[in-house]
Amino acid sequence: MARYSAIFAVTIIFCILAGPVSSFTASDYKDAISKAILFFEGQRSGKLPVSQRVKWRGDSALIDGKIENVNLIGGYYDAGDNVKFGWPMAFSLTLLSWAAVEYPTEISSANQLLHLQRAIRWGTNFLTRAHISSTTLYTQVGDGNVDHQCWERPEDMDTPRTLYKITSNSPGSEVAAEVAAAFASASIVFKKIDSNYSTKLLRRSKSLFAFADKYRGSYQASCPFYCSYSGYQDELLWAAAWLYKAGGGNNYLNYASSNQGWSQVASEFSWDNKFAGAQTLLAKEFLNGKSNLEKFKNDADSFICALMPGSSSIQIKTTPGGLLYTRDSSNLQYVTGATMVLFMYSKVLEAAGKGGVTCGSVTFSTSNIKAFAKSQVDYILGNNPLKMSYMVGFGSKYPTQLHHRASSIPSIYNHPTRVGCNDGYSSWYNSNNPNPNTHVGAIVGGPNSGDQFVDSRSDYSHSEPTTYMNAAFVGSVAALINQGKVEQSFQMPQLNKTTLYDRQSTKNISY
């Protein structure tokens, strides 16, 4: 553990959370993860299985792909809309698989591992159908612009189910590589329980990675809703790291090593920017003796330094109540993503016997990093200035006017009369009443920079859920199950004359 380069004269302790210290228990975290996973059943598209637990949803989009004679039934609706965006969907599946790979014991203790595996498989089954050849991948079902002009249940949907795809002549390396990462990570999840399926996923992952790398080109098909800002190098590194981890071969690690110049210091981990995730996976290999991967370890350290309050190189500030605040549009997507990486990287460091990360004159122990990550989870669950949960159905106070078509219109089982495109707007969108269907587990975009939240269906930047927000939260809250030693609240590390700090610790959605 590196010593501080400066000794402060006075110890200043700053609790990052407003109000009383969180009293969430292991039981609360188990409840939260069960609801976070249940959310995905409310997002399902296609023919629902007999095991479906979200009863207000029905079968929908049963002819997806038919206009081009392909079967694109299934998968997930992206957020509060009825479009299936393959790029963020694949990212959500990679995150869910990462959680399943790293926290199987914790998730099993909450009796959620089977539900999580089903959530992953529902998505990967769709993506395998979308991957119709070595150089053809369907990437989107539904026209986002047309879809967003209607407010109707998926079960009533009559908007065009326009298809988008990438080919060797019209490439999209970001989405091809992200689907490769989803398949590789999921292959690890299913390796011991369905070896044939696992092998199939790994084979497809290799094919898609080769496609993404050989026909390099940036993916813009889902603009203006999902535009690539960070380029495709992050996805290529991310996919290569997962392929190596899945047993694809040393050539994928060599690929990452040969291209580590692509690695950039990041301050967010999101559907667009995967650098921090790739760096976390590859830093683990460096700490396991792969000395040619040091840049990934250094960049992973820099990600921690960009987030931790008290760091000399902080880039992401917090709200007065202690929430990381990257940008206003669906900010909790960045919070859940960052928190997942904070926990994952702390685990990597601890496994390698490393005590923490040094950021200039301040060293953050792994226990301190985890405590800050815990403060973010607890904020989302209700330990915040408004004392409300930003997860629907958790606690006694949570958002009730979700910006979500299916949730905001009565179920077809209670209201069988068709609700048309404009009817949904006039009768339901503009209503001030709570949504008739409680979308349990949905995490909304969250509060503004002043910790304030207006529960309004029309305020999509703050009231809309997304699959990738929930997927990152699954990995974040899983880290807290059965982790009794995590500090109750984050405290900014500073020193007095006699005390050394913890020396014993070894893009935005646009609709």
Side-chain angles (χ1 to χ4, degrees):
M1 173 69 73
R3 291 176 177 267
Y4 286 88
S5 61
I7 303 295
F8 292 90
V10 180
T11 298
I12 303 175
I13 302 298
F14 174 73
C15 180
I16 201 67
L17 295 178
V21 171
S22 165
S23 58
F24 293 124
T25 64
S27 177
D28 294 319
Y29 296 129
K30 289 178 180 178
D31 182 38
I33 198 171
S34 69
K35 288 174 176 172
I37 294 170
L38 179 65
F39 162 80
F40 286 89
E41 295 191 20
Q43 295 297 116
R44 281 173 169 168
S45 178
K47 180 73 175 177
L48 300 181
V50 294
S51 61
Q52 175 80 7
R53 295 175 293 166
V54 177
K55 301 300 184 182
W56 48 270
R57 283 297 320 284
D59 298 341
S60 62
L62 298 180
I63 59 171
D64 277 358
K66 186 176 181 180
I67 57 174
E68 294 189 16
N69 296 315
V70 292
N71 178 3
L72 297 177
I73 300 169
Y76 291 107
Y77 298 118
D78 177 68
D81 57 358
N82 297 328
V83 182
K84 296 189 293 198
F85 292 102
W87 185 18
M89 187 194 305
F91 179 56
S92 300
L93 297 171
T94 309
L95 295 183
L96 291 177
S97 294
W98 199 6
V101 168
E102 295 295 335
Y103 300 110
T105 302
E106 292 84 353
I107 297 169
S108 292
S109 73
N111 298 314
Q112 292 301 309
L113 192 56
L114 177 60
H115 293 305
L116 178 56
Q117 292 164 352
R118 286 174 173 171
I120 295 167
R121 192 160 188 155
W122 188 267
T124 53
N125 280 349
F126 168 78
L127 292 177
T128 58
R129 291 193 289 273
H131 181 215
I132 65 170
S133 78
S134 61
T135 57
T136 306
L137 174 70
Y138 281 89
T139 58
Q140 183 176 323
V141 183
D143 183 314
N145 290 306
V146 175
D147 178 89
H148 293 148
Q149 294 172 12
C150 285
W151 195 263
E152 56 188 351
R153 300 175 295 204
E155 295 82 1
D156 291 331
M157 183 168 45
D158 56 2
T159 50
R161 301 302 284 168
T162 310
L163 304 181
Y164 300 80
K165 62 187 174 184
I166 56 173
T167 65
S168 56
N169 294 323
S170 180
S173 294
E174 290 93 342
V175 65
E178 186 57 61
V179 176
F183 284 159
S185 57
S187 76
I188 304 173
V189 174
F190 295 107
K191 190 170 186 177
K192 293 183 179 179
I193 58 177
D194 190 338
S195 60
N196 289 335
Y197 190 61
S198 174
T199 300
K200 173 184 175 182
L201 291 174
L202 186 58
R203 182 173 64 250
R204 286 181 176 272
S205 178
K206 291 178 178 181
S207 173
L208 278 164
F209 181 84
F211 174 41
D213 190 42
K214 182 177 181 179
Y215 300 97
R216 293 183 185 177
S218 192
Y219 179 68
Q220 298 294 336
S222 57
C223 263
F225 306 103
Y226 291 97
C227 307
S228 177
Y229 298 99
S230 67
Y232 53 74
Q233 290 90 346
D234 54 322
E235 277 86 8
L236 287 172
L237 290 173
W238 174 238
W242 274 112
L243 273 160
Y244 176 74
K245 188 176 180 68
N250 288 330
N251 55 312
Y252 295 105
L253 196 65
N254 294 335
Y255 180 95
S257 176
S258 299
N259 293 297
Q260 62 183 301
W262 290 345
S263 183
Q264 300 175 16
V265 173
S267 59
E268 72 177 60
F269 177 57
S270 65
W271 57 263
D272 178 47
N273 193 324
K274 320 293 168 47
F275 280 120
Q279 290 155 6
T280 297
L281 294 176
L282 294 166
K284 181 177 182 178
E285 300 308 320
F286 170 74
L287 292 171
N288 284 338
K290 309 296 193 303
S291 59
N292 57 340
L293 300 171
E294 185 174 8
K295 187 177 191 310
F296 295 112
K297 167 65 166 59
N298 293 337
D299 288 348
D301 285 354
S302 295
F303 178 77
I304 304 300
C305 296
L307 300 180
M308 293 296 291
S311 167
S312 58
S313 54
I314 191 169
Q315 295 183 40
I316 306 301
K317 302 297 178 63
T318 58
T319 66
L323 182 70
L324 284 168
Y325 205 83
T326 301
R327 56 183 66 93
D328 191 54
S329 184
S330 201
N331 179 63
L332 287 189
Q333 67 176 299
Y334 307 108
V335 177
T336 56
T339 301
M340 186 173 184
V341 173
L342 290 173
F343 278 125
M344 291 290 188
Y345 194 53
S346 295
K347 187 177 181 184
V348 167
L349 293 174
E350 289 174 343
K354 303 296 181 180
V357 174
T358 297
C359 306
S361 61
V362 181
T363 296
F364 296 98
S365 71
T366 55
S367 64
N368 201 262
I369 295 169
K370 289 189 295 182
F372 179 62
K374 179 181 183 295
S375 76
Q376 302 303 292
V377 172
D378 290 352
Y379 185 108
I380 292 171
L381 293 180
N383 193 21
N384 55 61
L386 296 183
K387 298 296 177 277
M388 71 174 293
S389 168
Y390 291 102
M391 172 186 276
V392 174
F394 185 91
S396 59
K397 182 182 178 183
Y398 48 79
T400 63
Q401 289 193 34
L402 213 59
H403 181 93
H404 190 276
R405 287 159 176 76
S407 172
S408 66
I409 302 173
S411 168
I412 58 170
Y413 303 115
N414 297 326
H415 184 88
T417 303
R418 184 181 176 277
V419 177
C421 171
N422 295 324
D423 295 333
Y425 273 116
S426 59
S427 299
W428 306 106
Y429 179 80
N430 294 315
S431 169
N432 291 321
N433 294 324
N435 286 5
N437 307 305
T438 303
H439 199 349
V440 174
I443 296 173
V444 298
N448 64 20
S449 59
D451 299 298
Q452 298 303 304
F453 178 80
V454 177
D455 191 3
S456 172
R457 195 173 296 110
S458 62
D459 187 3
Y460 60 82
S461 290
H462 302 102
S463 64
E464 185 170 24
T466 68
T467 56
Y468 40 91
M469 250 187 313
N470 263 71
F473 189 79
V474 168
S476 300
V477 76
L480 292 169
I481 297 173
N482 303 331
Q483 298 294 310
K485 293 184 179 180
V486 176
E487 296 175 18
Q488 282 296 303
S489 63
F490 171 73
Q491 294 181 323
M492 186 184 295
Q494 294 194 15
L495 301 174
N496 59 25
K497 293 183 179 180
T498 60
T499 305
L500 279 176
Y501 169 69
D502 208 355
R503 290 179 60 186
Q504 296 178 343
S505 296
T506 44
K507 270 152 288 223
N508 311 329
I509 55 177
S510 56
Y511 51 91

